[in-house]
C-alpha cells in the first residue's frame, strides 16, 4: 500500500502523545502496541493484496484489469478512505 513512511509518521505522533500523557514509558509503549496493532495489521493485509493484484500475470491480470475498468475512480478511492483518511484523533480517543 506504499504506506511505510506514513505509518512511521502516525506511529511517531501517537507515541509522542502517549509518552506525554502516561506516567511511565513502559505503560506508554504497552498502550502504543495495543492501539496500533489493528491498523498496522490491516495495512499489512492490504499491502499483501496490492502486491498480488498489481503484479498479477495471466488470467489474474485480466480479471484485475477488468475490475479496474468497471470500478469508478471515486469508488476505488472511497474504498481506501480508511488508509488515506486516518486522523490521530481516532487512535487517541482509544487511549483516553
Amino acid at each position: 500500500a506504499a504506506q511505510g513512511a506514513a505509518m512511521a509518521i502516525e506511529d511517531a505522533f501517537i507515541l509522542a502523545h502517549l509518552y506525554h500523557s502516561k506516567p511511565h514509558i513502559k505503560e506508554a509503549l504497552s498502550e502504543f502496541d495495543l492501539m496500533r496493532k489493528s491498523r498496522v495489521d490491516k495495512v499489512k493485509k492490504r499491502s499483501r493484496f496490492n502486491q498480488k493484484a498489481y503484479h498479477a500475470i495471466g488470467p489474474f491480470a485480466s480479471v484485475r484489469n477488468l475490475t479496474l475498468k468497471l470500478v469508478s475512480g471515486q469508488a476505488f478511492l472511497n474504498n481506501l478512505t480508511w488508509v488515506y483518511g486516518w486522523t490521530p484523533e481516532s487512535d487517541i480517543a482509544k487511549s483516553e
Side-chain angles (χ1 to χ4, degrees):
Q3 289 298 296
M7 296 297 289
I9 293 167
E10 290 177 18
D11 287 347
F13 185 94
I14 296 298
L15 191 55
H17 169 77
L18 290 171
Y19 179 75
H20 289 289
S21 65
K22 301 294 175 188
H24 303 292
I25 188 66
K26 285 185 179 183
E27 184 182 348
L29 290 172
S30 178
E31 190 159 340
F32 171 80
D33 286 343
L34 292 173
M35 287 174 63
R36 297 294 292 162
K37 183 169 178 19
S38 66
R39 179 164 172 77
V40 170
D41 289 347
K42 192 173 179 181
V43 170
K44 283 180 0 185
K45 184 177 177 182
R46 181 60 192 220
S47 294
R48 287 186 197 111
F49 171 80
N50 285 355
Q51 179 183 17
K52 289 177 183 175
Y54 295 134
H55 298 285
I57 57 173
F60 295 107
S62 297
V63 170
R64 176 206 55 215
N65 294 345
L66 179 61
T67 301
L68 289 173
K69 284 180 185 177
L70 296 174
V71 174
S72 73
Q74 189 60 51
F76 185 79
L77 289 176
N78 289 345
N79 189 24
L80 296 172
T81 300
W82 66 271
V83 175
Y84 303 118
W86 179 88
T87 61
E89 293 80 14
S90 59
D91 278 353
I92 290 173
K94 295 176 193 172
S95 73
E96 296 173 346

